[in-house]
Amino acid sequence: MGREPQSLDAPTLVLPAPHVGVVLATHRRPQLMRRALESILEQDYPGAITVLVVHDKCDPDESLALEGDRRQVMPVANSRTPGLAGARNTGILGLATDFVAFCDDDDTWFPEKLTRQIAALQDNPEAEFCSTAMSVDYSGTASVRLAGKAEVTYEDLLRSRMAMVHSSSFVIRRDALLSTIGLVDEEIPNSMCEDWDLLLRAARRKPILHVDSPLVRVFWGGSSYFYEQWEVKNRAHLWMLEHHPDILSSPVGKSRVFGQLAFGHAALGNRREAFRWAGRSLRANWREPRAVLALGVAGGVVSDRRIVDRLQRHGHGI
């Protein structure tokens, strides 16, 4: 799966290494899911890893079951709300490990990922949540997205979704998910933005510890369930504004979400709504590029697909 170089100043893992549980949610993508699972099982992490492969709206593949000394795989069915949020919560509740990690079924981990994150968490015992940077693969073209910092704050996440802090990189203390942070919210439309919601709730308590090396490979394009689902994205962004009103306290943050809503409406052909949201976006922050792009799509100057393809080819999104 490839290897990222070890940083010279990276913390050293303290043994014995804690037990890590991984929630690998999947829906009818067996080949991609097996690729993701292989990357998890091939971690150089010396501690035990238990993977719950949570099958959403499909029967569990019992052939995945594995019972080893340090690696265990258990295929299970999503027993909660259909969708990614319910599948992840099924996994969280079904584990009995010190930490819980997420991996999407179309992404992969580099071999050092868990070792470096658990070492960082051991070095910062007050931290509850750890992420990493990512390498984006778009049709074979790789782009590295770094955060440029060792922690991500609540204020950072109000200004920006911080897309390089991808859910496939999350490692979280399980007891925090069951108490202070809370489970993944299953009320978000189609589980869209559930990761941003979780990050905001976690960061409001404590900064997100961040290993700024691309230790996950995220595959963008046609394999994503949210690729070009503009109606879903619009409803999810409105949900985020309703449930996280602090976003509106950041001119940059609210301009970005307004710009996303403008682009979504433009892609759907709702020109009047696109112009309205673009105007709100530019009044909040005249530098917001999403609003300008939305105006171009609404005006017929350029297609939404061309813009999205160009951005994703360079590791960015709307």
Side-chain angles (χ1 to χ4, degrees):
M1 294 297 173
R3 178 177 290 275
E4 290 296 319
Q6 178 77 27
S7 172
L8 293 178
D9 58 354
T12 301
L13 186 70
V14 177
L15 298 176
H19 192 176
V20 176
V22 183
V23 180
L24 175 54
T26 188
H27 173 68
R28 301 188 187 280
R29 299 198 285 196
Q31 291 183 323
L32 293 176
M33 177 269 292
R34 286 178 179 272
R35 182 186 66 183
L37 179 60
E38 179 184 4
S39 76
I40 297 167
L41 296 177
E42 291 181 349
Q43 291 292 293
D44 66 13
Y45 183 66
I49 300 175
T50 295
V51 186
L52 258 63
V53 184
V54 184
H55 293 71
D56 181 43
K57 294 175 286 188
C58 57
D59 294 330
D61 180 357
E62 299 297 340
S63 70
L64 299 172
L66 174 68
E67 189 72 46
D69 292 337
R70 294 187 302 112
R71 301 291 184 264
Q72 183 179 17
V73 180
M74 295 186 293
V76 300
N78 179 8
S79 60
R80 296 175 64 89
T81 305
L84 181 59
R88 284 182 170 163
N89 285 339
T90 294
I92 294 166
L93 295 170
L95 290 163
T97 55
D98 303 296
F99 294 91
V100 173
F102 296 158
C103 186
D104 288 350
D105 64 356
D106 56 345
D107 298 332
T108 60
W109 291 355
F110 288 97
E112 297 176 20
K113 176 190 180 290
L114 278 184
T115 298
R116 293 186 61 180
Q117 285 184 283
I118 296 299
L121 284 161
Q122 287 178 332
D123 202 47
N124 297 269
E126 296 301 314
E128 297 177 334
F129 200 124
C130 184
S131 61
T132 80
M134 67 180 181
S135 175
V136 177
D137 185 297
Y138 183 78
S139 300
T141 299
S143 302
V144 171
R145 295 291 309 276
L146 304 176
K149 54 180 61 185
E151 65 176 30
V152 176
T153 67
Y154 183 63
E155 289 70 25
D156 291 331
L157 290 161
L158 293 178
R159 287 174 54 88
S160 170
R161 162 57 187 86
M162 302 288 289
M164 73 292 296
V165 183
H166 193 275
S167 60
S168 286
S169 78
F170 293 0
V171 175
I172 314 165
R173 296 187 188 275
R174 183 172 178 271
D175 58 357
L177 285 169
L178 297 179
S179 56
T180 53
I181 296 173
L183 295 173
V184 182
D185 197 308
E186 299 180 26
E187 298 299 318
I188 300 176
N190 289 52
S191 296
M192 179 67 187
C193 292
E194 44 76 35
D195 47 358
W196 187 22
D197 167 72
L198 187 65
L199 284 167
L200 282 166
R201 285 190 278 126
R204 191 167 189 172
R205 285 181 37 76
K206 299 179 181 181
I208 306 295
L209 191 63
H210 183 72
V211 179
D212 204 27
S213 293
L215 298 176
V216 297
R217 181 178 282 121
V218 175
F219 293 85
W220 279 359
S223 68
S224 172
Y225 284 122
F226 295 120
Y227 187 67
E228 291 191 341
Q229 293 188 29
W230 299 115
E231 179 61 35
V232 172
K233 293 178 181 179
N234 284 350
R235 289 192 289 114
H237 285 129
L238 289 172
W239 188 98
M240 289 297 296
L241 291 177
E242 178 184 354
H243 289 79
H244 295 279
D246 283 355
I247 295 170
L248 298 174
S249 69
S250 167
V252 172
K254 71 178 179 181
S255 178
R256 180 180 60 84
V257 178
F258 292 169
Q260 289 173 310
L261 286 163
F263 193 92
H265 281 293
L268 289 167
N270 302 331
R271 296 178 72 245
R272 183 173 180 178
E273 284 296 290
F275 289 135
R276 183 172 74 88
W277 283 107
R280 295 186 66 183
S281 175
L282 292 172
R283 283 193 293 273
N285 175 25
W286 65 271
R287 298 174 183 270
E288 177 50 59
R290 293 167 185 81
V292 177
L293 294 173
L295 292 173
V297 173
V301 177
V302 64
S303 73
D304 60 288
R305 175 177 282 273
R306 183 176 181 182
I307 290 172
V308 171
D309 286 350
R310 180 67 62 87
L311 288 172
Q312 293 200 344
R313 192 171 300 279
H314 293 89
H316 294 268
I318 289 293

